[in-house]
Amino acid sequence: MTRIPLIAGNWKMHKTAEESVAYIRALNNVLILNETRVFLAVPFTAIEQASAAAHGTRITIGAQNMHDAEEGPFTGEISASMLKAAGAQFVILGHSERRKLFGETSEFINRKVHRAFNEGIIPILCVGETLEQRQQESVQHVLSKQLKEALNGLDASQIPELIIAYEPVWAIGTGKSATPDIAQEVHRMIRLFLEHSYGNKVAERVCLLYGGSVNPGNIAELMKEPDIDGALVGGASLDVAAFARMIQL
Ligand code: PGA
């Protein structure tokens, strides 16, 4: 089973709409022809213009979060249908910054995953353990719980449409990426979880990304691992030359 590689940039709270358009034009000019899929999770305010700029290129635009409700009295929130109408084709859900800084629960994330599927937006579900949990050797327990809760109620036929990003909390924005061995070990663990839950055929089709201090210097080694299908890149995706280099590598 060959899975198509995917490099996704997560810009977090960076770049205006205008800056996003300039970045996308510059990236498209230097993209070399390879099979890697290129995703950019831009701020809400840039989705519409970024999608227009990416139209006709191989760059896919998405969002970094959304609410689970269809619509309603949720001041400051964004719905899946709004994202879709603005041109977002995927959405990052359950990022550890959302879980930790904004108190998002697994139940909430699960409802968002269902909503994304209902609206035809690809969810990139993030899971990952803290340093403390790793030191307590509870990585498998933590990840199985996060996966079980986030995927609750999904049909096996939906699972291959989902993208899962393993992002160890201790590696995000710290410059301390997981070693290829550690990342592969956990990716294997995630694939085995999917295999036990949905069968081997489904598990083999799911695209698994690694995220946490990925940069042009470490991406090639990480991508050599058999269960790592791509990367979710934060800080290093802000620089167009660095991001283009990572797609190339
Ligand atoms: P980082 O962030 O690449 O800056 O570590 C990754 C992420 O949070 O998705």
Side-chain angles (χ1 to χ4, degrees):
M1 175 80 220
T2 50
R3 294 174 294 269
I4 303 168
L6 166 60
I7 306 289
N10 174 13
W11 284 356
K12 309 192 180 183
M13 201 168 73
H14 296 277
K15 298 193 192 292
T16 62
E18 204 178 319
E19 288 163 347
S20 306
V21 169
Y23 179 111
I24 289 161
R25 290 198 181 128
L27 178 62
N28 191 46
N29 283 340
V30 296
L31 271 186
I32 56 147
L33 212 58
N34 66 15
E35 57 160 2
T36 305
R37 291 182 287 166
V38 180
F39 280 23
L40 284 176
V42 306
F44 293 137
T45 47
I47 292 173
E48 192 150 7
Q49 287 177 54
S51 299
H55 187 78
T57 74
R58 47 189 277 242
I59 303 165
T60 301
I61 301 299
Q64 304 169 15
N65 182 35
M66 63 176 213
H67 196 273
D68 75 292
E70 205 172 339
E71 58 182 9
F74 303 104
T75 302
E77 290 294 324
I78 302 266
S79 75
S81 61
M82 291 170 188
L83 293 183
K84 187 114 194 261
Q89 295 181 52
F90 73 91
V91 61
I92 296 175
L93 298 177
H95 190 282
S96 63
E97 285 156 12
R98 299 292 324 166
R99 294 180 194 254
K100 182 161 176 263
L101 304 174
F102 302 96
E104 291 197 3
T105 63
S106 291
E107 293 72 32
F108 189 31
I109 295 161
N110 175 244
R111 293 199 303 272
K112 296 187 198 208
V113 172
H114 281 275
R115 176 64 62 195
F117 273 117
N118 289 344
E119 290 292 336
I121 298 179
I122 302 166
I124 300 186
L125 171 70
C126 300
V127 294
E129 82 287 357
T130 63
L131 185 60
E132 198 183 10
Q133 289 164 333
R134 173 160 287 273
Q135 283 163 346
Q136 290 164 351
E137 295 181 4
S138 54
V139 177
Q140 180 153 19
H141 171 76
V142 170
L143 291 192
S144 311
K145 188 167 181 295
Q146 287 178 355
L147 287 167
K148 208 176 282 172
E149 290 172 347
L151 304 181
N152 186 30
L154 288 182
D155 190 80
S157 67
Q158 294 176 299
I159 301 298
E161 309 299 321
L162 178 85
I163 296 167
I164 298 177
Y166 167 56
E167 295 210 312
V169 179
W170 47 270
I172 296 176
T174 58
K176 288 184 201 132
S177 166
T179 62
D181 281 356
I182 290 181
Q184 165 58 23
E185 189 187 13
V186 180
H187 279 234
R188 190 70 222 150
M189 206 183 266
I190 294 172
R191 210 174 295 283
L192 286 175
F193 170 92
L194 294 171
E195 190 177 318
H196 291 146
S197 310
Y198 307 101
N200 174 266
K201 277 207 182 100
V202 167
E204 284 301 313
R205 287 175 60 198
V206 180
C207 177
L208 300 183
L209 308 180
Y210 167 76
S213 297
V214 177
N215 61 49
N218 61 23
I219 194 166
E221 290 303 312
L222 286 160
M223 292 309 118
K224 276 184 198 154
E225 298 295 339
D227 286 293
I228 303 181
D229 307 313
L232 180 54
V233 187
S237 73
L238 293 173
D239 179 65
V240 69
F243 194 60
R245 178 100 186 103
M246 285 186 274
I247 296 163
Q248 194 179 358
L249 287 166

